[in-house]
Amino acid sequence: MAGVSVQAFRRQGRRFGAGLVCSEMVSCAGIEHRNERTLGYLRVAADEHPLAIQIFGSEPAVMADAARLVVAAGADIVDINFGCPVRKVTKTGAGATLLEDGDRAVRIVEAVAGAVEVPVSVKMRRGLENGSRRALELGPQLVAAGAQTLTLHPRSAKQMYTGEADHSLTAELVSLVDVPVIASGDITSRAKAQAVLATTGAAAVMVGRAAQGNPWALKEILEGDGEQPTREEVVAELVLFMRETVRELGERRASGFLKKFYGWYLGRGRFPRAFKNELVVMHDLGEVEERLFAAAPGARFVLARIEQEQPVVDEVLLDDMPISIYGGG
Ligand SMILES: Cc1cc2nc3c(=O)[nH]c(=O)nc-3n(C[C@H](O)[C@H](O)[C@H](O)COP(=O)(O)O)c2cc1C
């Protein structure tokens, strides 16, 4: 998820049981131009694997080069974005637009699958317009072109995130292709995951928004362990997330980036709303940490335990690129 799936989010997901995590979407043009911020998305820690790195773009050859580079950076799977509905992306002919540009979409998948040894997967929406069934036509063609997995988020691009994901389309897609299909959209609980798996025949479910500030949702989905985290656990996870994000993005970018996470962690009835409001206006992350610990002093011990259990991350350096997980920037 763009603006969400930073390394800290992915590592946390793995710790809470996710079988596979995915990067934010990464621009193949940004990779082509060795844009520093884009390359920053390619910092991979040892304990993230298996990891999919998602790329987006509209030029097959540029996508193929980008795929080679993300594999060099450590991707175990290259995922291609044919789902992004955001205008900044679609106006360049990338993301969901490719659902309606089938020839180009096929050429992109062929080029990427021909460029790398690792599996190539594609993430799609159902189509551009409401009610569209376009993904069902295109899906089999993408498999023939070399896609080894398809993920379907069965909303239209127009819908953005409104309405509901219509997983009857996921079931149809499963019946049309002989590769694993992953169901994405509104998987928020074990009951929902089980229902979608049972009614679609999908090989797996993908969890997005439900895990934002709430890795405990992954445990519940996997194990049925619906126990709510204590305040100490919530604060410990948030502080760890903050520290890792600072290391990844640098203090200045992290402090803006993190604001939306305060609500995600502290909401859900865990803390009074006024507490979150207090944190979002603080400029200094050290101050935010102190305030969090003051609200749940035992969190220091929980955090120490998590840090002890978590392996130290390796630094990843590519031959000719300034990529390091300690890079900041
Ligand atoms: C903030 C945000 C960013 C997203 N970014 C991406 C992205 O970069 N690539 C992608 O394939 N899907 C992206 N998605 C879509 C999700 O992967 C997922 O398909 C969608 O949110 C539905 O699943 P959910 O109900 O579990 O969130 C994003 C969704 C959100 C909310």
Side-chain angles (χ1 to χ4, degrees):
M1 287 186 286
V4 176
S5 306
V6 289
Q7 190 184 84
F9 186 79
R10 306 189 304 256
R11 293 183 79 205
Q12 182 185 61
R14 295 281 300 144
R15 257 193 306 120
F16 278 80
L20 173 66
V21 290
C22 189
S23 73
E24 306 183 51
M25 60 181 198
V26 184
S27 156
C28 74
I31 291 178
E32 186 189 13
H33 299 300
R34 300 292 188 264
N35 176 294
E36 203 180 322
R37 188 175 279 205
T38 307
L39 296 180
Y41 293 126
L42 305 182
R43 295 180 185 125
V44 174
D47 57 352
E48 289 187 65
H49 299 284
L51 167 76
I53 294 186
Q54 187 185 67
I55 53 176
F56 72 95
S58 60
E59 290 300 328
V62 181
M63 288 286 274
D65 282 343
R68 284 189 202 97
L69 202 124
V70 305
V71 171
D76 303 299
I77 293 174
V78 178
D79 189 54
I80 303 175
N81 182 314
F82 290 167
C84 182
V86 175
R87 172 123 182 90
K88 202 171 111 189
V89 170
T90 56
K91 74 176 184 206
T92 66
T97 308
L98 285 157
L99 296 170
E100 290 298 340
D101 193 352
D103 288 348
R104 184 178 284 269
V106 163
R107 280 189 288 120
I108 288 173
V109 172
E110 279 171 354
V112 171
V116 295
E117 300 287 325
V118 303
V120 170
S121 58
V122 176
K123 171 110 179 317
M124 296 183 286
R125 285 203 175 220
R126 65 181 294 163
L128 292 184
E129 299 301 325
N130 294 348
S132 171
R133 296 168 54 81
R134 180 66 188 137
L136 302 181
E137 283 166 51
L138 192 58
Q141 295 172 30
L142 301 180
V143 171
Q148 287 179 257
T149 311
L150 299 176
T151 303
L152 182 63
H153 174 206
R155 280 188 174 87
S156 70
K158 196 171 192 174
Q159 263 183 295
M160 300 293 282
Y161 297 95
T162 61
E164 269 179 40
D166 178 1
H167 283 295
S168 69
L169 255 80
T170 313
E172 287 192 66
L173 184 63
V174 169
S175 71
L176 293 170
V177 295
D178 56 7
V179 297
V181 171
I182 301 175
S184 167
D186 306 339
I187 308 294
T188 51
S189 65
R190 183 173 176 83
K192 182 76 196 221
Q194 284 176 331
V196 168
L197 288 171
T199 57
T200 63
V205 290
M206 177 180 283
V207 181
R209 290 166 295 171
Q212 292 174 158
N214 195 23
W216 299 276
L218 299 174
K219 254 204 160 64
E220 194 276 327
I221 289 168
L222 280 162
E223 299 166 8
D225 171 7
E227 202 179 320
Q228 290 305 307
T230 62
R231 282 184 166 204
E232 284 70 25
E233 286 168 328
V234 171
V235 166
E237 285 297 335
L238 174 54
V239 170
L240 179 62
F241 189 83
M242 289 166 59
R243 290 181 182 176
E244 288 196 34
T245 305
V246 168
R247 197 186 58 210
E248 191 178 349
L249 304 181
E251 176 111 19
R252 199 173 51 83
R253 261 177 79 200
S255 73
F257 172 89
L258 284 165
K259 287 187 194 295
K260 57 185 182 279
F261 283 87
Y262 300 152
W264 288 338
Y265 275 91
L266 305 174
R268 306 172 202 271
R270 293 169 182 162
F271 286 85
R273 186 184 296 258
F275 184 47
K276 182 210 86 175
N277 294 343
E278 206 183 307
L279 300 185
V280 291
V281 294
M282 289 179 175
H283 295 297
D284 178 40
L285 288 176
E287 204 185 334
V288 175
E289 244 190 47
E290 284 311 311
R291 188 67 191 85
L292 284 164
F293 282 134
R300 288 185 194 274
F301 302 105
V302 180
L303 177 59
R305 201 190 61 227
I306 302 171
E307 281 182 328
Q308 207 171 27
E309 285 167 6
Q310 182 166 266
V312 176
V313 287
D314 295 345
E315 191 156 4
V316 178
L317 289 168
L318 294 186
D319 288 340
D320 60 342
M321 283 191 304
I323 295 184
S324 136
I325 55 166
Y326 298 109

